[in-house]
Amino acid sequence: MLESSSVPLFIVLILLFILLLIVVLIKKNGTAALIWNEIIREKVTNFIMNQSKEQRILNFVLQNAVRGDPRSVVDTIDRYCSQKEWAMNVGNEKGLILDKTVEEASPSVALELGSYCGYSAVRIGRLLKAGARLLTVEFNPQFAAIAKQMIEFAGVQDKVKLLEGPSEEIIPQLKKKYEVDTLDFVFLDHWKDRYTPDTILLQECNLLRKGSVLLADNVIFPGAPEFLNYVRKSPHFQCTNYPSHLEYMEVEDAMEKAVFLG
């Protein structure tokens, strides 16, 4: 009897250990975390709720944040993504690096590549001085629709304009269509394989001036090695690395600041 009763207990302990191992792996390993959050968990939840994760984030903000208060909107998104569902916002930890860089650059004209749900657009928009503007570019039409609502709810729509389409098509249009002379600040947070070609495109289109600041997210995870190699070896950029963690996780990540020297 003792042996037969100990077998189920042993199996339970093994299963609990495996479950604990999975939880630790998801928290510490970026690849495992993305597979779990972006593929398995998100797809299942979307199917059950018949709604996208991004729409759930927006609904949570509409129900819990203060309209017209960008700080409240940012904090509410952070709360949702740290407690309920992970999402690829810059997040609260790296958000402080973003805040400091924007405040130091004090841009009159800023560009964001990769709006997603509008988190960083709101975060940047709330820090812009009077008369300054942010152009935020989003390729995915569903994300763009969510971001537009988020920006308007936060009350920063007078400073933030959302441009829908591929970055490689919009960047060459910035001077004539959107009356941009040069950019004071650029936040790169879109497809990592677009970091380098879009940086080169910004240079070719004469959109960078001496002192223009580029800040790139996720340069360690998922990683942007080609971009790091390009800006660090280029005589046209002075680089600073800011070690941090992947948004809402303990996975190592970093942001790279590249100041254009002309």
Side-chain angles (χ1 to χ4, degrees):
M1 291 294 291
L2 287 175
E3 288 184 4
S4 61
S5 62
S6 65
V7 172
L9 178 60
F10 177 73
I11 294 174
V12 169
L13 290 174
I14 289 294
L15 290 173
L16 287 174
F17 175 76
I18 293 172
L19 182 61
L20 179 62
L21 194 62
I22 292 172
V23 170
V24 172
L25 185 63
I26 289 172
K27 200 165 187 178
K28 298 282 189 179
N29 184 282
T31 302
L34 289 184
I35 291 172
W36 169 253
N37 286 298
E38 293 285 88
I39 299 177
I40 302 173
R41 182 181 176 183
E42 181 179 340
K43 301 302 181 187
V44 171
T45 308
N46 289 354
F47 177 77
I48 293 172
M49 300 189 70
N50 193 30
Q51 187 182 61
S52 72
K53 175 176 65 179
E54 293 72 30
Q55 186 63 53
R56 292 191 291 275
I57 293 172
L58 176 62
N59 290 344
F60 188 79
V61 169
L62 298 179
Q63 294 166 9
N64 295 278
V66 178
R67 179 182 289 274
D69 184 344
R71 179 75 256 181
S72 173
V73 170
V74 167
D75 289 344
T76 302
I77 297 174
D78 282 335
R79 188 162 80 250
Y80 185 90
C81 295
S82 60
Q83 297 177 3
K84 297 179 180 291
E85 290 185 273
W86 182 89
M88 54 183 179
N89 312 301
V90 68
N92 48 356
E93 183 181 352
K94 287 184 293 184
L96 296 177
I97 300 170
L98 174 61
D99 290 353
K100 182 180 179 182
T101 307
V102 171
E103 289 170 342
E104 289 175 349
S106 187
S108 294
V109 184
L111 175 69
E112 176 187 33
L113 300 177
S115 312
Y116 187 45
C117 289
Y119 174 95
S120 47
V122 171
R123 187 154 198 147
I124 295 169
R126 84 188 205 284
L127 297 174
L128 294 180
K129 58 191 177 185
R133 59 178 174 142
L134 167 68
L135 301 172
T136 180
V137 179
E138 178 53 55
F139 172 75
N140 184 305
Q142 286 76 36
F143 293 169
I146 296 290
K148 188 173 185 295
Q149 294 179 74
M150 197 76 76
I151 289 164
E152 291 175 352
F153 184 82
V156 294
Q157 68 274 16
D158 292 340
K159 294 182 176 182
V160 180
K161 182 177 180 61
L162 191 143
L163 309 179
E164 185 180 328
S167 56
E168 62 268 29
E169 292 181 9
I170 291 178
I171 289 173
Q173 300 175 355
L174 289 177
K175 280 189 176 287
K176 289 187 177 180
K177 190 172 182 178
Y178 300 103
E179 300 180 335
V180 174
D181 181 16
T182 55
L183 298 161
D184 305 304
F185 174 76
V186 181
F187 183 44
L188 296 95
D189 196 19
H190 55 331
W191 293 107
K192 311 314 163 194
D193 60 2
R194 288 299 315 170
Y195 281 18
T196 303
D198 283 346
T199 298
I200 294 171
L201 190 56
L202 289 169
Q203 293 175 262
E204 292 175 344
C205 293
N206 295 314
L207 285 161
L208 301 182
R209 58 159 177 83
K210 185 177 181 180
S212 291
V213 177
L214 277 62
L215 184 67
D217 191 19
N218 303 123
V219 297
I220 299 300
F221 191 88
E226 183 184 353
F227 171 79
L228 292 181
N229 183 63
Y230 175 75
V231 293
R232 289 177 179 179
K233 290 185 176 180
S234 171
H236 298 291
F237 291 98
Q238 182 178 33
C239 298
T240 307
N241 185 264
Y242 298 98
S244 187
H245 297 90
L246 184 65
E247 43 270 25
Y248 316 114
M249 291 187 191
E250 296 177 12
V251 177
E252 288 187 6
D253 194 9
M255 304 181 89
E256 186 85 0
K257 181 173 78 172
V259 180
F260 188 63
L261 302 178

